[in-house]
Amino acid sequence: MSENINFIDESFIEGLITETQNPPAPKIDEILNKALQLQGLDLLDAAYLLNIKSGDLLNKLLHTAYQVKQEIYGNRLVLFAPLYISNFCSNNCLYCGFRVDNKDIVRRVLSLDEIKDETLSLLEQGHKRILMLMGEHHKNCPFDYFLEAINAAYSVKDKKCSSIRRINVEIAPLDENEFQKLSKVHIGTYTVFQETYHRETYSKMHPGGIKSDYNWRLSTMDRALSNGMHDVGIGALFGLYDYRFEVLSLIQHAKHLDKKFNVGPHTISIPRIKPAKNAPASFNLEHAVSDEEFKKLIAVIRCSVPYTGMILSTREPAELRSELFNYGISQISAGSRTSPGGYKQAFSETEEAGQFSLNDCRTSGEVIRDVIQHGFVPSFCTACYRLGRVGEDFMDKAKPGLIKLFCQPNALTTLKEYLVDYADPETKQLGEELIQKELATIPNDKVREKTGQNLIRIQQGERDLYL
Ligand code: SAM
Ligand code: SF4
């Protein structure tokens, strides 16, 4: 058993949810004005917002979240794609298609060559950052294999001589030693979702395997930040327990990390459970989150932890995803497959081997065009991590809203690379128009001029120019 860390005080959080029922309009106005100061909110404020029911107040909240996101990150949406390298798992999470008791999927561990093939498929779609994932199975996919997989993916170049510039990681909680080793292979963000912060629900949902230890999982980011990781991502799987409890716990987790390490979560993910084969807890959810509640919770997180990157995956349908760009989302996946080998479609059983079903099945190209048509700039930027703007240094720029001075120009130059190298003619035209429009809005004369020069240099064949 791991150490009992207790920064999630369940009865305190449940108490906040009860005492903030039916929040009066003036109280909500006061909290939303506070949110616009970009200093975040305390748990009591967030609880009031989570208990909003009426349409008018909800609309005000959604609009405030939009303003906060624009102030911190500007108009860009960062794009990435997941890369699953193994679906072996010795855990038995009741909501997941990879669980050990699902005997109906074909299990695979990709070889290093297969990982390179998958990476090439992603590069050819224009991706520059991937999220590498696998189930937890120490015999069939040991940690050292994972480290080799990262190096294999970084080593691939496509016909345009492009390679993956940032690999984020989402694998089971590591121990101190493993974090030290991971810090040597240059990853971006290390992510683990707590799934549910509610202990009793956690025990029910994780009946077997290492993952059944709640404390081991809750203390993951403390170990990560104490052992060489700079940027960490947290998340909850919505639908397991009361969404208000999970949101307040996520905010509490962020505050805990910020206080202890001066580094809050680089990202917060908000996956909703989707049906998965032979996963009983992925159907008939007792705590299903409606679309309206989902919009609200995204907005509450954005107002409460303004500096964090908020990630939305292809679990959600296309139309809803586009709407959610307006309420605080700052990073999205595109063209995703959740089975090992899914991009090359090399294995006939891949559809069956997915971790859960997807709702946005469009290609990366279609998603990118749609993002542009909604007036947001798809960004493939990886500059911060490559310039060492990570951890506390990143937070120092993100918290006061200074990071967008880098995000905006880098979004434009990476979009330009995409348009020149990978886009279809229609996307090219739409993208060029957007770039010209956005370029004119860069507030600093020198940065605008430099960005304009970089765009010309990219058109002439140079690549990987960033601020
Ligand atoms: N196996 C590692 C772990 O559990 O930490 C790595 C992450 S797992 C491959 C990715 C995440 O998928 C899980 O943390 C869980 O939140 C999510 N997930 C599992 N089943 C899901 C489902 N049916 N619908 C939506 N998300 C699901
Ligand atoms: Fe395994 Fe992760 Fe799925 Fe749980 S969520 S069964 S640990 S892959």
Side-chain angles (χ1 to χ4, degrees):
M1 275 293 275
S2 54
E3 165 204 13
N4 186 8
I5 59 166
N6 58 1
F7 58 82
I8 300 296
D9 183 338
E10 291 194 4
S11 50
F12 175 67
I13 291 175
E14 300 280 15
L16 289 180
I17 294 171
T18 313
E19 84 189 53
T20 53
Q21 299 288 327
N22 304 316
K27 184 73 197 166
I28 296 298
D29 284 339
E30 180 197 316
I31 297 169
L32 295 181
N33 282 332
K34 186 172 163 191
L36 289 172
Q37 309 300 309
L38 308 182
Q39 301 300 305
L41 299 175
D42 58 33
L43 256 61
L44 179 62
D45 297 331
Y48 275 117
L49 297 183
L50 286 164
N51 274 321
I52 287 178
K53 295 216 170 51
S54 97
D56 270 3
L57 292 183
L58 181 60
N59 286 340
K60 274 191 192 172
L61 165 65
L62 298 179
H63 184 63
T64 307
Y66 172 77
Q67 290 174 289
V68 172
K69 188 262 171 179
Q70 293 297 103
E71 277 301 313
I72 300 283
Y73 285 113
N75 214 18
R76 60 81 164 146
L77 270 178
V78 167
L79 265 95
F80 71 95
L83 173 50
Y84 282 75
I85 62 167
S86 165
N87 59 4
F88 274 94
C89 195
S90 51
N91 292 317
N92 209 5
C93 313
L94 295 184
Y95 43 79
C96 180
F98 290 174
R99 62 196 287 258
V100 66
D101 277 1
N102 181 7
K103 306 293 182 205
D104 291 339
I105 61 167
V106 179
R107 305 276 174 174
R108 292 203 65 93
V109 181
L110 296 188
S111 67
L112 295 183
D113 280 343
E114 287 167 335
I115 290 167
K116 289 180 188 171
D117 284 348
E118 290 287 277
T119 307
L120 188 58
S121 296
L122 290 171
L123 284 169
E124 284 167 350
Q125 294 175 38
H127 284 290
K128 297 284 185 278
R129 44 163 95 197
I130 57 178
L131 171 66
M132 198 179 273
L133 310 98
M134 64 179 189
E136 182 166 22
H137 199 289
H138 295 271
K139 187 160 158 272
N140 290 353
C141 36
F143 180 63
D144 284 343
Y145 156 76
F146 190 77
L147 297 178
E148 287 172 27
I150 291 174
N151 288 325
Y154 273 133
S155 74
V156 179
K157 278 196 188 327
D158 70 1
K159 283 197 202 103
K160 306 278 178 189
C161 261
S162 258
S163 48
I164 293 296
R165 296 174 184 164
R166 174 177 176 135
I167 299 181
N168 295 331
V169 163
E170 189 176 335
I171 52 169
L174 303 176
D175 64 24
E176 286 81 354
N177 231 336
E178 291 166 328
F179 276 126
Q180 291 288 348
K181 281 189 184 177
L182 191 60
S183 70
K184 309 279 183 314
V185 293
H186 304 297
I187 62 147
T189 310
Y190 171 82
T191 296
V192 156
F193 305 157
Q194 184 61 27
E195 319 295 13
T196 172
Y197 285 88
H198 188 252
R199 284 176 187 267
E200 193 189 324
T201 307
Y202 189 94
S203 298
K204 270 195 230 153
M205 292 295 154
H206 305 102
I210 301 173
K211 192 161 168 182
S212 55
D213 186 344
Y214 176 102
N215 292 329
W216 177 247
R217 201 161 179 94
L218 191 66
S219 52
T220 305
M221 297 315 170
D222 291 63
R223 281 194 304 284
L225 291 169
S226 306
N227 288 282
M229 295 290 108
H230 297 295
D231 293 330
V232 296
I234 61 175
L237 183 57
F238 285 91
L240 295 177
Y241 189 61
D242 184 336
Y243 71 94
R244 296 168 302 177
F245 182 92
E246 305 294 10
V247 170
L248 294 177
S249 300
L250 281 167
I251 298 170
Q252 185 60 41
H253 199 166
K255 287 185 186 300
H256 163 78
L257 297 176
D258 202 8
K259 185 163 169 222
K260 184 164 166 188
F261 298 98
N262 230 356
V263 177
H266 195 76
T267 57
I268 295 184
S269 300
I270 33 94
R272 280 196 291 187
I273 297 181
K274 298 295 160 196
K277 198 170 184 191
N278 292 333
S282 70
F283 300 96
N284 304 322
L285 307 179
E286 195 189 330
H287 296 283
V289 177
S290 70
D291 285 357
E292 185 153 284
E293 289 164 341
F294 194 51
K295 292 173 200 173
K296 179 171 68 175
L297 77 85
I298 288 172
V300 174
I301 295 174
R302 172 54 68 209
C303 290
S304 305
V305 195
Y307 58 81
T308 203
M310 274 191 82
I311 300 183
L312 185 68
S313 77
T314 52
R315 291 173 180 86
E316 301 301 336
E319 206 175 312
L320 180 64
R321 293 221 304 162
S322 304
E323 189 185 345
L324 296 172
F325 301 162
N326 293 305
Y327 310 144
I329 294 300
S330 56
Q331 303 193 17
I332 58 167
S333 51
S336 306
R337 297 284 174 277
T338 64
S339 54
Y343 293 108
K344 285 296 272 189
Q345 295 292 323
F347 316 110
S348 56
E349 67 276 13
T350 48
E351 285 304 312
E352 290 290 290
Q355 193 193 11
F356 46 80
S357 57
L358 299 177
N359 270 315
D360 182 352
C361 301
R362 294 171 299 169
T363 62
S364 297
E366 288 167 336
V367 173
I368 291 162
R369 187 169 58 230
D370 187 56
V371 168
I372 296 173
Q373 281 170 328
H374 280 86
F376 292 93
V377 184
S379 173
F380 301 87
C381 176
T382 54
C384 280
Y385 136 84
R386 292 160 80 220
L387 288 169
R389 223 157 36 214
V390 294
E392 209 173 330
D393 195 13
F394 177 86
M395 291 291 152
D396 286 348
K397 299 202 167 48
K399 285 177 179 167
L402 296 174
I403 201 70
K404 69 168 183 281
L405 303 176
F406 302 100
C407 293
Q408 191 185 19
N410 291 334
L412 296 182
T413 46
T414 55
L415 173 59
K416 176 76 180 179
E417 283 188 349
Y418 174 80
L419 297 178
V420 175
D421 286 342
Y422 305 100
D424 58 56
E426 189 194 344
T427 308
K428 233 177 224 173
Q429 194 192 329
L430 292 167
E432 291 291 352
E433 284 165 14
L434 182 64
I435 288 176
Q436 291 314 316
K437 197 169 126 210
E438 284 283 321
L439 183 63
T441 69
I442 294 180
N444 180 300
D445 289 346
K446 276 200 184 133
V447 175
R448 192 171 57 254
E449 207 175 298
K450 177 84 188 151
T451 307
Q453 287 162 0
N454 281 347
L455 290 167
I456 294 169
R457 287 168 64 190
I458 290 168
Q459 184 69 47
Q460 291 168 343
E462 281 185 73
R463 291 290 173 270
D464 208 10
L465 306 172
Y466 50 88
L467 306 177

